[in-house]
Amino acid sequence: ARRPPAGAARPSASLGRAPVSEVRTSVILPAYQAWDTLPAALDALMPQVDRPDRELVLVESSGDASQQELSARWPWAHVIVPAERLLPGRARNLALREARGELLAFTDADAVAEPDWLDELEGALNDEVDGVAGAVLNGAPHSVIGTADYLLEFSDWLPKRHLALLHGATCNLLLRRTALDATGFPDDVWPGEDTIVTFRLGASGRLTFAPRARVRHIGRTRFRDFVRHQSQLGAAFAVVCETVEFPYRRLARRRYGLLLPAFRIVGVARRIRGNQAAVRSALRVSPLLTIGAIAWSAGLFRAR
């Protein structure tokens, strides 16, 4: 991993550590060895949190940059540098103890938010819901591997989605603090910790979708990384199915082993149905979708 990029820090005269009562929304971003994407993610967030009622809490656990270095690069962010690497769930829990807002927005180091991202999330929150999931766009559209990675992981949150919203992804999510229980996110689960936290909101109708609150997720573009990550997603699905009453948990049974790749592909096809651009992308990368589905199935089977 590279060191954080050198250069003059972007000043922010108005953003400071405001009194607790002034902060309404805290944006929480965990990072680990993400220097290729983290600067773009933070630069996109700065104009959105540069006001007294918002803040950003960055938890960077790579261990190759000090708090002083990171704070000098991004002086408008509240930076936490743990002594050891933290999985995303544990990093978010650490940030929650420092965050001061009653609304908690979550994003990731490999997700670049559009300029009105946070406004759209906040605007979609109403008295009927406790959480808002935003749309996830393909941040590597010119990469066939990146596109396959995106469709397999994030087709639940296409802007033009049509299925019931069951859960949210922490690359684009807003929650009321009261929607989190005392334990917050699972410390030892990744990926899938966001599904465990948000599924009960989706199942009870307390989670809504904001199609105009958009981030561009920069996925894996190297074949080995892609296969490894899809395997991790499959293993995580097994854990999710043991933790919450996910509708498709029966697919995690061993008896379906050889059929799992087909089930995975059918799931993607259902989610992108009617979206011509997504269907064209899926056809373009169909061999990689098959490989990814096989890797996902292998990860799930090993975890079971």
Side-chain angles (χ1 to χ4, degrees):
R2 297 204 303 267
R3 300 277 292 179
R10 298 183 65 171
S12 176
S14 62
L15 184 70
R17 298 293 288 168
V20 174
S21 59
E22 291 189 22
V23 177
R24 179 173 184 258
T25 303
S26 298
V27 180
I28 294 174
L29 192 160
Y32 175 75
Q33 293 187 351
W35 304 120
D36 287 339
T37 57
L38 179 61
L42 289 174
D43 285 348
L45 291 172
M46 191 277 286
Q48 305 191 47
V49 300
D50 190 6
R51 42 190 272 188
D53 61 339
R54 292 175 177 173
E55 66 175 357
L56 183 135
V57 183
L58 168 67
V59 182
E60 210 298 311
S61 63
S62 300
D64 52 4
S66 69
Q67 184 171 356
Q68 291 75 18
E69 289 176 302
L70 294 172
S71 295
R73 175 67 178 90
W74 295 291
W76 47 272
H78 178 51
V79 178
I80 302 173
V81 179
E84 60 182 350
R85 180 192 177 181
L86 303 182
L87 288 178
R90 189 176 174 193
R92 294 188 194 100
N93 291 338
L94 179 60
L96 286 172
R97 294 196 287 269
E98 298 281 339
R100 298 170 296 171
E102 289 304 314
L103 300 182
L104 305 166
F106 298 94
T107 188
D108 288 333
D110 52 5
V112 179
E114 293 198 343
D116 55 355
W117 166 72
L118 194 49
D119 289 336
E120 292 289 345
L121 283 179
E122 290 182 346
L125 190 69
N126 58 55
D127 293 340
E128 303 299 319
V129 300
D130 291 316
V132 181
V136 183
L137 307 180
N138 183 5
H142 301 298
S143 167
V144 291
I145 295 175
T147 298
D149 191 65
Y150 163 74
L151 289 171
L152 286 167
E153 185 172 5
F154 293 110
S155 54
D156 266 320
W157 302 283
L158 293 173
K160 296 180 180 179
R161 63 183 319 281
H162 58 89
L163 300 178
L165 182 65
L166 297 178
H167 59 119
T170 41
C171 66
N172 192 353
L173 182 68
L174 179 73
L175 297 177
R176 299 187 194 275
R177 186 181 287 269
T178 53
L180 287 169
D181 61 26
T183 60
F185 289 86
D187 276 353
D188 55 352
V189 177
W190 179 83
E193 77 286 355
D194 45 9
T195 297
I196 292 172
V197 166
T198 60
F199 176 74
R200 59 187 175 83
L201 296 178
S204 62
R206 301 291 297 179
L207 183 68
T208 192
F209 183 63
R212 294 187 296 182
R214 302 181 178 189
V215 302
R216 295 187 178 275
H217 185 271
I218 305 169
R220 287 133 186 96
T221 57
R222 289 184 291 193
F223 183 77
R224 180 179 297 181
D225 296 338
F226 164 69
V227 171
R228 182 185 298 116
H229 184 59
Q230 293 304 317
S231 178
Q232 289 173 328
L233 289 171
F237 182 73
V239 176
V240 168
C241 290
E242 293 173 355
T243 309
V244 299
E245 297 288 334
F246 205 71
Y248 308 110
R249 62 188 313 202
R250 66 185 181 277
L251 298 183
R253 298 172 183 168
R254 288 182 181 274
R255 73 180 72 168
Y256 295 119
L258 295 178
L259 297 176
L260 284 174
F263 289 154
R264 182 68 165 161
I265 295 295
V266 169
V268 173
R270 289 182 66 242
R271 291 190 289 272
I272 66 174
R273 186 184 63 208
N275 187 325
Q276 294 184 2
V279 170
R280 287 195 297 269
S281 293
L283 292 174
R284 179 168 64 95
V285 302
S286 55
L288 284 165
L289 289 178
T290 302
I291 293 171
I294 292 171
W296 181 88
S297 304
L300 190 157
F301 192 76
R302 285 197 303 270
R304 294 295 291 174

